[in-house]
Amino acid sequence: MERVALVGFGIAGASLAAKAPQGVDLVVFDLGGRRCSSRVATGLVNPIVLKRRRVVWRAAEALEVALHTYPIELRSSGSIYEVLRTVQELNDWQALSDHPALGAYLGAIHPVPGGVHGVGLGEVRGSFRLNVVGFLEHMRAQVEVRNESVERLEPQRDGSWTINGTERFDRVLLAEGYQARWTEHLWGPLGFARTWGQGLNVGLSLDPGVMLHRSHFLLPDGNGLYQLGASFGWGIEHGDQDPPEANASQAEELLNSAREWVDGSIDVQGQWTGIRPNTQDRRPRWGWHPEHPTLGMLNGLGSRGTLHAPLLAQELWS
Ligand SMILES: Cc1cc2nc3c(=O)[nH]c(=O)nc-3n(C[C@H](O)[C@H](O)[C@H](O)COP(=O)(O)OP(=O)(O)OC[C@H]3O[C@@H](n4cnc5c(N)ncnc54)[C@H](O)[C@@H]3O)c2cc1C
């Protein structure tokens, strides 16, 4: 059996575990904690960049693999709906549904639920929400996971690796997320443009009951509670830092944007932050090291980790 060390167990690491071929003995090293972006991710699997009305890079093949990877009970049955505020927006949505690429994902127009301003809801076909933490736990039960940081990673003459000075592995896969300590040490700079995001847990007096998007997402979490977010913040210079604390101006920005299209009271009950492993060219990074063929990585998943991780994990193994 080949012994493979997997460093990091967010959505990238869990997808690599899900796609591991037979005959691999996988040992996971994962520090977890506040720096694990997947544990705060909203979990939307969305083939469209809604703000730009554009199809996400490799959306069709990524969606197909994602559907085969994520257990059905961890996926929402409903889609995301774009709130169309004017007749012009509604007409544009309908016109774009003939578009050769976008058309596949621009679904029917639905009535607007009470409590929401708009003339229609455009369904994003193929979209769903993944219970990300549920998926991490589901995969965690199938592999050996150590709550341990990789502090030393050394190549050996025979192509194997030692981790933390003693343990030997035939191959190492790095899925370190935004921190990317060993990935950047061994590959050099990956062109990160890390962003941070803040989300709010809110109670609504009027309950639309479906996943909505209009400048931000508003997503039902059950019992009248919703997630509102997430904001985009710049200025994360390097990976060796915790996510910033939630701040009042980002919260106000989210609330002001929601108040433009949501009626009734919005009552903030909690907030959270995390850092996204975005890259300057908005493309993930995955592959095998040119000089160390037994070293692989999957990173740079940006805002689309849930969509792309299973496809790229599959490609890395193959
Ligand atoms: C507020 C917010 C909302 C988001 N919403 C969505 C969304 O709706 N849909 C979507 O697809 N994406 C979303 N994202 C983006 C998503 O979170 C990321 O794309 C994804 O989590 C990246 O996964 P990853 O596995 O690469 O990294 P991570 O999830 O960060 O996992 C990396 C893991 O590796 C561990 N690690 C790192 N270095 C070491 C080391 N040396 N030793 C041991 N362990 C180590 C870390 O502790 C961590 O547990 C959101 C992000 C934020 C911040």
Side-chain angles (χ1 to χ4, degrees):
M1 265 230 177
E2 192 186 28
R3 270 195 108 212
V4 179
L6 175 54
V7 184
F9 206 66
I11 195 76
S15 297
L16 284 164
K19 296 294 173 195
Q22 299 266 317
V24 163
D25 175 19
L26 209 56
V27 178
V28 176
F29 293 79
D30 181 59
L31 207 51
R34 283 201 69 206
R35 293 187 179 189
C36 181
S37 309
S38 302
R39 292 200 170 258
V40 296
T42 315
L44 293 170
V45 180
N46 176 10
I48 297 186
V49 186
L50 280 163
K51 276 196 178 124
R52 298 192 185 86
R53 298 285 194 267
R54 192 166 62 65
V55 179
V56 173
W57 176 78
R58 299 185 68 185
E61 40 184 343
L63 257 185
E64 196 184 323
V65 183
L67 287 172
H68 284 109
T69 308
Y70 300 137
I72 194 160
E73 62 277 13
L74 297 176
R75 307 189 321 235
S76 67
S77 51
S79 316
I80 298 166
Y81 294 90
E82 173 76 346
V83 178
L84 304 166
R85 294 285 306 276
T86 63
V87 172
Q88 179 66 49
E89 286 182 8
L90 192 141
N91 289 342
D92 288 348
W93 184 276
Q94 280 170 328
L96 278 171
S97 53
D98 289 334
H99 187 280
L102 258 182
Y105 304 112
L106 297 193
I109 306 281
H110 294 255
V112 181
V116 175
H117 298 291
V119 295
L121 296 185
E123 181 173 359
V124 181
R125 237 188 253 139
S127 63
F128 61 92
R129 186 175 176 194
L130 172 72
N131 173 350
V132 183
V133 172
F135 179 63
L136 299 186
E137 296 309 320
H138 170 75
M139 289 314 307
R140 196 172 257 266
Q142 302 177 37
V143 285
E144 180 187 340
V145 183
R146 301 194 194 153
N147 235 338
E148 199 182 317
S149 171
V150 171
E151 293 295 323
R152 285 174 65 190
L153 177 61
E154 287 148 332
Q156 304 300 309
R157 280 174 191 277
D158 63 357
S160 67
W161 295 82
T162 54
I163 286 190
N164 292 344
T166 49
E167 244 186 304
R168 216 171 170 102
F169 292 91
D170 300 309
R171 277 200 271 178
V172 172
L173 293 177
L174 299 174
E176 299 173 294
Y178 79 87
Q179 296 175 83
R181 171 179 167 187
W182 290 107
T183 320
E184 289 205 303
H185 177 70
L186 287 153
W187 261 270
L190 293 179
F192 274 115
R194 299 169 177 92
T195 64
W196 70 282
Q198 178 168 334
L200 304 178
N201 303 106
V202 296
L204 299 183
S205 55
L206 296 164
D207 189 350
V210 289
M211 298 196 283
L212 297 173
H213 177 266
R214 174 85 203 179
S215 60
H216 294 100
F217 288 97
L218 185 66
L219 309 162
D221 266 348
N223 301 324
L225 287 177
Y226 280 73
Q227 278 194 23
L228 173 63
S231 63
F232 260 83
W234 304 93
I236 306 291
E237 300 284 324
H238 55 84
D240 187 19
Q241 61 181 297
D242 287 340
E245 295 301 319
N247 82 46
S249 75
Q250 298 257 342
E252 205 47 39
E253 187 191 312
L254 288 169
L255 287 170
N256 286 341
S257 113
R259 283 185 190 117
E260 285 178 17
W261 54 279
V262 180
D263 274 335
S265 64
I266 307 176
D267 170 32
V268 179
Q269 309 209 346
Q271 38 194 320
W272 77 95
T273 62
I275 297 179
R276 304 177 185 89
N278 293 100
T279 56
Q280 285 150 8
D281 61 6
R282 294 173 182 271
R283 290 286 180 270
R285 308 285 189 256
W286 78 113
W288 297 94
H289 196 285
E291 284 149 32
H292 300 288
T294 51
L295 180 70
M297 64 116 147
L298 172 54
N299 208 316
L301 291 170
S303 317
R304 306 275 169 183
T306 49
L307 177 63
H308 287 135
L311 171 71
L312 304 181
Q314 181 172 292
E315 291 188 356
L316 193 69
W317 282 115
S318 66

